[in-house]
Short mmCIF file of all heavy atoms in Angstrom, two decimals:
data_model
loop_
_atom_site.label_atom_id
_atom_site.label_comp_id
_atom_site.label_asym_id
_atom_site.label_seq_id
_atom_site.Cartn_x
_atom_site.Cartn_y
_atom_site.Cartn_z
N ALA S 84 46.21 80.76 74.19
CA ALA S 84 46.70 81.87 73.46
C ALA S 84 48.16 81.87 73.50
O ALA S 84 48.93 82.96 73.65
CB ALA S 84 46.12 83.12 74.08
N ARG S 85 48.81 80.77 73.24
CA ARG S 85 50.24 80.62 73.29
C ARG S 85 50.83 81.25 71.96
O ARG S 85 50.07 81.47 71.00
CB ARG S 85 50.66 79.14 73.33
CG ARG S 85 50.31 78.49 74.58
CD ARG S 85 50.46 76.98 74.46
NE ARG S 85 49.76 76.28 73.48
CZ ARG S 85 49.10 75.18 73.61
NH1 ARG S 85 49.21 74.47 74.77
NH2 ARG S 85 48.47 74.57 72.65
N THR S 86 52.10 81.24 71.88
CA THR S 86 52.70 81.74 70.65
C THR S 86 52.82 80.64 69.51
O THR S 86 52.98 81.02 68.45
CB THR S 86 54.18 82.26 70.91
OG1 THR S 86 54.84 81.31 71.51
CG2 THR S 86 54.17 83.47 71.76
N ASP S 87 52.61 79.35 69.98
CA ASP S 87 52.54 78.29 68.98
C ASP S 87 51.04 77.69 68.99
O ASP S 87 50.59 77.39 70.00
CB ASP S 87 53.60 77.29 69.26
CG ASP S 87 53.34 76.56 70.73
OD1 ASP S 87 53.06 77.43 71.64
OD2 ASP S 87 53.52 75.39 70.83
N ASN S 88 50.54 77.59 67.83
CA ASN S 88 49.26 76.97 67.75
C ASN S 88 48.15 77.65 68.63
O ASN S 88 47.38 76.95 69.31
CB ASN S 88 49.20 75.45 67.96
CG ASN S 88 50.16 74.71 67.03
OD1 ASN S 88 50.43 75.27 65.90
ND2 ASN S 88 50.57 73.60 67.34
N PRO S 89 48.04 78.82 68.72
CA PRO S 89 47.09 79.58 69.54
C PRO S 89 45.67 79.29 69.17
O PRO S 89 45.26 79.27 68.01
CB PRO S 89 47.42 81.04 69.45
CG PRO S 89 47.98 81.21 68.12
CD PRO S 89 48.75 79.93 67.89
N ASP S 90 44.80 79.06 70.11
CA ASP S 90 43.32 79.05 69.92
C ASP S 90 42.73 80.37 69.61
O ASP S 90 41.78 80.48 68.83
CB ASP S 90 42.57 78.28 71.03
CG ASP S 90 42.68 76.82 70.97
OD1 ASP S 90 43.88 76.35 70.86
OD2 ASP S 90 41.68 76.16 71.28
N PHE S 91 43.30 81.43 70.18
CA PHE S 91 42.80 82.74 70.16
C PHE S 91 43.86 83.71 69.75
O PHE S 91 45.11 83.59 70.21
CB PHE S 91 42.17 83.23 71.49
CG PHE S 91 41.00 82.52 71.81
CD1 PHE S 91 40.95 81.41 72.77
CD2 PHE S 91 39.76 82.90 71.33
CE1 PHE S 91 39.87 80.82 73.15
CE2 PHE S 91 38.52 82.14 71.78
CZ PHE S 91 38.59 81.19 72.59
N ALA S 92 43.60 84.73 68.94
CA ALA S 92 44.40 85.89 68.72
C ALA S 92 43.87 86.89 69.73
O ALA S 92 42.71 87.26 69.63
CB ALA S 92 44.40 86.43 67.43
N LEU S 93 44.70 87.53 70.54
CA LEU S 93 44.23 88.35 71.63
C LEU S 93 44.63 89.89 71.24
O LEU S 93 45.61 90.21 70.77
CB LEU S 93 44.79 88.06 72.92
CG LEU S 93 44.52 86.73 73.52
CD1 LEU S 93 45.25 86.53 74.87
CD2 LEU S 93 43.03 86.58 73.72
N MET S 94 43.53 90.65 71.46
CA MET S 94 43.82 92.17 71.30
C MET S 94 44.49 92.70 72.42
O MET S 94 44.30 92.28 73.65
CB MET S 94 42.45 92.85 71.07
CG MET S 94 41.68 92.33 69.82
SD MET S 94 40.11 93.05 69.65
CE MET S 94 40.54 94.79 69.21
N HIS S 95 45.29 93.76 72.22
CA HIS S 95 46.02 94.39 73.21
C HIS S 95 44.95 95.20 74.11
O HIS S 95 44.13 95.79 73.55
CB HIS S 95 47.08 95.34 72.68
CG HIS S 95 48.03 95.91 73.87
ND1 HIS S 95 47.62 96.96 74.52
CD2 HIS S 95 49.25 95.47 74.20
CE1 HIS S 95 48.67 97.24 75.42
NE2 HIS S 95 49.66 96.30 75.05
N PRO S 96 45.20 95.17 75.45
CA PRO S 96 44.18 95.92 76.29
C PRO S 96 43.98 97.37 75.92
O PRO S 96 42.93 97.88 76.07
CB PRO S 96 44.79 95.73 77.66
CG PRO S 96 45.45 94.45 77.75
CD PRO S 96 46.14 94.42 76.32
N ASP S 97 45.10 98.00 75.37
CA ASP S 97 44.88 99.42 74.99
C ASP S 97 43.88 99.55 73.74
O ASP S 97 43.49 100.68 73.46
CB ASP S 97 46.21 99.98 74.52
CG ASP S 97 47.13 100.27 75.70
OD1 ASP S 97 46.61 100.21 76.94
OD2 ASP S 97 48.27 100.53 75.53
#
Side-chain angles (χ1 to χ4, degrees):
R85 299 175 294 222
T86 54
D87 59 320
N88 300 337
D90 281 43
F91 293 98
L93 297 178
M94 298 175 69
H95 191 280
D97 287 347

